[in-house]
Amino acid sequence: MESLANMSKIKVKSSFFNEKDRKNYLRLLSYLKPLKKTFLIIIVSSAIYGFTEPLFPWVMKRMIDEGFSSYGNNHFSTILLMVLAMNLIIIVRGTANFLSSYFSNKLNQKIILELRNQMFEKLQRLPMDYFHKNTIDYFQKT
């Protein structure tokens, strides 16, 4: 019983994130707050794209098993239905992939623009002595 109490007091140190990395990660995540809708579109479209991945082989299996089998008399209608289903899957996957890529790029560009604007504002507020002490070579190295 005592060992369980002692184990709950032990802090597990994760090698995945140290404290500095965690702070930087949370700071970067704060840039997503004003872009929640865009991020949600990315998540939903990526999920749709992922969920439709196994549908194409499933439709192909049904078409082969039911459309080309020796029993039954609705072969043509089954094949036609499966071909239409495959086309629908291709359209849905393509649309989801496009939306995910488009809004991902849009999100990235907005975050980069915000970071650049903040950096520019900070550089504008620095005193001139800072620029005399830190030459162009210093900025090019960083």
Side-chain angles (χ1 to χ4, degrees):
M1 191 83 156
E2 291 177 31
S3 62
L4 290 176
N6 289 337
M7 290 179 77
S8 65
K9 293 178 183 177
I10 297 173
K11 291 185 179 179
V12 177
K13 193 168 189 175
S14 173
S15 62
F16 187 68
F17 277 128
N18 60 24
E19 189 62 28
K20 183 180 175 184
D21 289 340
R22 190 176 77 66
K23 285 181 182 178
N24 284 334
Y25 184 71
L26 292 174
R27 183 180 61 86
L28 289 175
L29 278 179
S30 70
Y31 289 101
L32 287 176
K33 284 184 182 177
L35 305 168
K36 287 178 188 174
K37 289 180 184 177
T38 305
F39 188 65
L40 184 65
I41 292 171
I42 294 168
I43 296 296
V44 169
S45 60
S46 296
I48 290 170
Y49 184 79
F51 288 137
T52 57
E53 180 76 26
L55 289 180
F56 196 77
W58 179 76
V59 169
M60 287 294 290
K61 179 190 178 304
R62 287 204 53 200
M63 185 168 67
I64 291 169
D65 290 348
E66 297 173 17
F68 298 118
S69 67
S70 60
Y71 59 91
N73 45 355
N74 280 339
H75 298 301
F76 182 73
S77 63
T78 303
I79 292 172
L80 183 62
L81 182 64
M82 293 302 132
V83 168
L84 291 175
M86 283 191 292
N87 285 327
L88 181 65
I89 291 168
I90 289 170
I91 290 169
V92 169
R93 283 179 55 84
T95 303
N97 188 25
F98 171 77
L99 289 174
S100 177
S101 298
Y102 177 78
F103 284 105
S104 258
N105 288 332
K106 188 176 179 178
L107 181 85
N108 291 337
Q109 292 298 320
K110 285 185 176 185
I111 290 174
I112 289 171
L113 179 65
E114 181 63 29
L115 287 169
R116 286 180 178 173
N117 285 339
Q118 287 179 358
M119 184 178 70
F120 181 73
E121 288 175 15
K122 188 170 184 173
L123 284 173
Q124 290 295 312
R125 291 186 192 131
L126 290 173
M128 287 302 288
D129 289 340
Y130 177 81
F131 296 104
H132 290 294
K133 292 176 185 173
N134 301 306
T135 61
I136 297 285
D137 293 332
Y138 173 77
F139 288 111
Q140 288 176 349
K141 291 178 185 176
T142 57

